[in-house]
Amino acid sequence: RDTPDTGSITLAKGAIVGYLEQEAIEMAGRSVLEEALSAAEHVTSMAHRMEILEAEIAVAEQDDLEALLAEYGRIQTRFEGLGGYSVEARARAVLCGLGFREQDLSRDAGELSGGWLMRLALSKLLLTTPDVLLLDEPTNHLDLESVKWLEAFLAGYDGAVILVSHDRAFMDGLVSRVAEIANRALTVYPGNYAQYEAARALRVEQGFAFARFCRAQRVDLLRGLHRRQFRRHRRAHPAGDHQRREHR
């Protein structure tokens, strides 16, 4: 990844930033669904630990039972808070929303083409639910239905979404602010992309109008200066002017 030439990036303590890579990463050895669920590995590992504890509780002696139940209760509370009981259902919903069919979920992820690997990578990113989503051209490999689903998903997303896209219709339906980088400066416009274009056109026209006003002011200033210099010259050389008039 590129590193900034200057400046710094500051994140709130504990904040998670998720970034969608532009290049597909090879995935093989797991099914599409298993690969998607790996994004929530911290949740699935809790489920695995709970299964082990359930087996141990079933055969535990009375002396060990209290400690096992206490650990199980702590993990279960955390598991529920993270939506652990619905994580597989959410994974299926995200995968299907991005165009995967139900029968595709059991396929080996290594069989997918580059475009479908990008869809799977996007699915994994969405399932991690980071505080900040950085999306670089997320609609590149999506069909129209998947784009509509993604737009609706992001519109209801609890975190912040920073988006780079050439899909104007997608941005119009989603963004609330547009940041323009030009001439080594950052300008933020409120509203969607269409509103940004209108505001930018007005700003450019106002800039041209101000430039025309400044040019007109400069011309008036130069003309006034020339007239004053001419009058001073005539006052300083009245005889010379009279002789020139007689000569004519």
Side-chain angles (χ1 to χ4, degrees), residues 8 21-23 25 30 42 67 86 108 121 127 132 155 177 184 188 197 218 228:
S8 61
E21 299 279 359
Q22 272 294 290
E23 296 181 2
I25 301 172
R30 290 191 285 203
H42 59 299
S86 62
D108 190 310
L127 287 167
V132 181
R177 285 184 293 177
R184 302 175 66 87
V188 178
E197 287 189 307
R218 185 170 181 271
R228 287 193 296 273

Side-chain angles (χ1 to χ4, degrees), residues 103-178:
Q103 57 265 38
D104 294 328
L105 304 189
S106 58
R107 288 179 59 190
D108 190 310
E111 299 174 5
L112 300 178
S113 65
W116 284 98
L117 282 173
M118 289 301 298
R119 294 190 191 214
L120 181 52
L122 178 56
S123 300
K124 292 174 65 174
L125 177 61
L126 298 180
L127 287 167
T128 62
T129 59
D131 301 294
V132 181
L133 267 174
L134 302 179
L135 300 177
D136 187 2
E137 302 290 356
T139 62
N140 270 0
H141 302 281
L142 303 182
D143 55 30
L144 182 58
E145 288 303 313
S146 298
V147 170
K148 289 181 178 178
W149 179 89
L150 180 61
E151 182 181 322
F153 181 92
L154 294 177
Y157 192 71
D158 287 335
V161 180
I162 299 176
L163 171 71
V164 176
S165 178
H166 286 86
D167 189 333
R168 297 187 178 191
F170 181 68
M171 289 191 289
D172 268 342
L174 184 61
V175 303
S176 58
R177 285 184 293 177
V178 175

Side-chain angles (χ1 to χ4, degrees), residues 29-43:
R30 290 191 285 203
S31 71
V32 169
L33 179 59
E34 289 170 340
E35 188 64 42
L37 286 171
S38 70
E41 201 162 359
H42 59 299
V43 177

Side-chain angles (χ1 to χ4, degrees), residues 5 11 14 20 23 52 59 90 93 96 113 123-124 142 168 171-172 181 192 210 212 239:
D5 298 324
L11 292 174
L20 178 63
E23 296 181 2
I52 294 174
V59 296
R90 286 189 288 115
C96 291
S113 65
S123 300
K124 292 174 65 174
L142 303 182
R168 297 187 178 191
M171 289 191 289
D172 268 342
I181 301 174
N192 62 18
F210 182 70
R212 290 193 295 268

Side-chain angles (χ1 to χ4, degrees), residues 45-60 64-76:
S45 65
M46 288 182 191
H48 180 62
R49 178 57 183 162
M50 287 167 63
E51 289 175 0
I52 294 174
L53 287 171
E54 287 168 1
E56 291 179 355
I57 288 169
V59 296
D64 300 324
L65 189 58
E66 185 176 346
L68 290 171
L69 287 172
E71 182 184 355
Y72 187 88
R74 287 194 301 271
I75 295 175
Q76 186 181 43

